[in-house]
């Protein structure tokens, strides 16, 4: 048997933040199939694809080991311009995958945070077809 307690000078309920997982996007990036980033005046769409292996001339020789599957890379689907470099796409998606919250908010208070019509959205579609959405806004004066 184990006991549990919160120690301090005054008796108070423990903060939910102590047990909350403050990772904003709970799914690892390798489970993502596509990402759409919507900003004021712009929308970007990225999709994960296998990098095309360079075509070999001739057929595979007997006893030759087949090539491992090509690595997955992120490609920009839209817009056509400006076209982002692969490194910028990777760093942006890594930043999205590693977002951490600093505090908890009451999900019933979305209006107070301006999330009814957010200025920024990230929509992540997972390989299993599920969707994760991140809504971002900063109310005027805050």
């Amino acid at each position: 048997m184990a006991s549990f307690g919160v120690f301090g000078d005054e008796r108070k309920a423990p903060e939910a933040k102590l047990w909350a997982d403050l990772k904003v996007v709970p799914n690892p990036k390798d489970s993502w199939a596509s990402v759409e980033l919507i900003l004021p005046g712009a929308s970007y769409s990225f999709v994960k694809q296998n990098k095309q292996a360079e075509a070999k001339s001739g057929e595979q020789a007997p006893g030759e080991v087949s090539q491992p599957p090509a690595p997955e890379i992120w490609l920009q689907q839209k817009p056509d311009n400006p076209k982002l470099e692969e490194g910028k796409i990777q760093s942006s998606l890594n930043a999205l995958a590693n977002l951490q919250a600093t505090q908890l908010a009451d999900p019933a208070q979305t209006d107070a945070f301006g999330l009814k019509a957010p200025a920024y959205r990230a929509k992540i579609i997972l390989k299993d077809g599920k969707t994760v959405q991140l809504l971002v806004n900063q109310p005027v004066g805050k």
Side-chain angles (χ1 to χ4, degrees):
M1 178 180 249
S3 60
F4 175 78
V6 177
F7 301 95
D9 292 336
E10 66 181 79
R11 300 184 106 196
K12 62 180 181 179
E15 293 181 44
K17 187 174 165 180
L18 295 174
W19 293 280
D21 181 0
L22 297 176
K23 187 164 178 55
V24 174
V25 181
N27 308 85
K29 200 170 90 172
D30 62 353
S31 70
W32 301 2
S34 66
V35 175
E36 185 176 2
L37 302 175
I38 301 164
L39 341 158
S43 178
Y44 291 87
S45 180
F46 307 101
V47 66
K48 189 186 289 186
Q49 292 184 352
N50 286 337
K51 194 171 191 175
Q52 296 296 327
E54 291 188 24
K56 280 186 166 183
S57 59
E59 295 181 15
Q60 184 174 341
E64 184 180 352
V65 178
S66 63
Q67 295 293 323
E72 293 180 318
I73 60 169
W74 286 96
L75 300 175
Q76 182 175 335
Q77 283 190 312
K78 69 176 189 175
D80 291 332
N81 282 315
K83 204 68 160 169
L84 301 178
E85 297 173 12
E86 184 180 341
K88 289 189 183 213
I89 295 171
Q90 282 294 343
S91 64
S92 297
L93 296 179
N94 286 341
L96 179 61
N98 293 319
L99 281 177
Q100 292 276 22
T102 57
Q103 63 183 1
L104 300 173
D106 183 352
Q109 300 295 322
T110 56
D111 287 348
F113 300 107
L115 297 177
K116 206 163 210 179
Y120 302 87
R121 285 186 289 151
K123 180 178 179 182
I124 302 167
I125 299 176
L126 306 175
K127 289 179 180 177
D128 66 4
K130 293 180 185 171
T131 300
V132 175
Q133 286 202 65
L134 177 62
L135 309 177
V136 181
N137 200 13
Q138 183 172 6
V140 176
K142 295 188 179 184

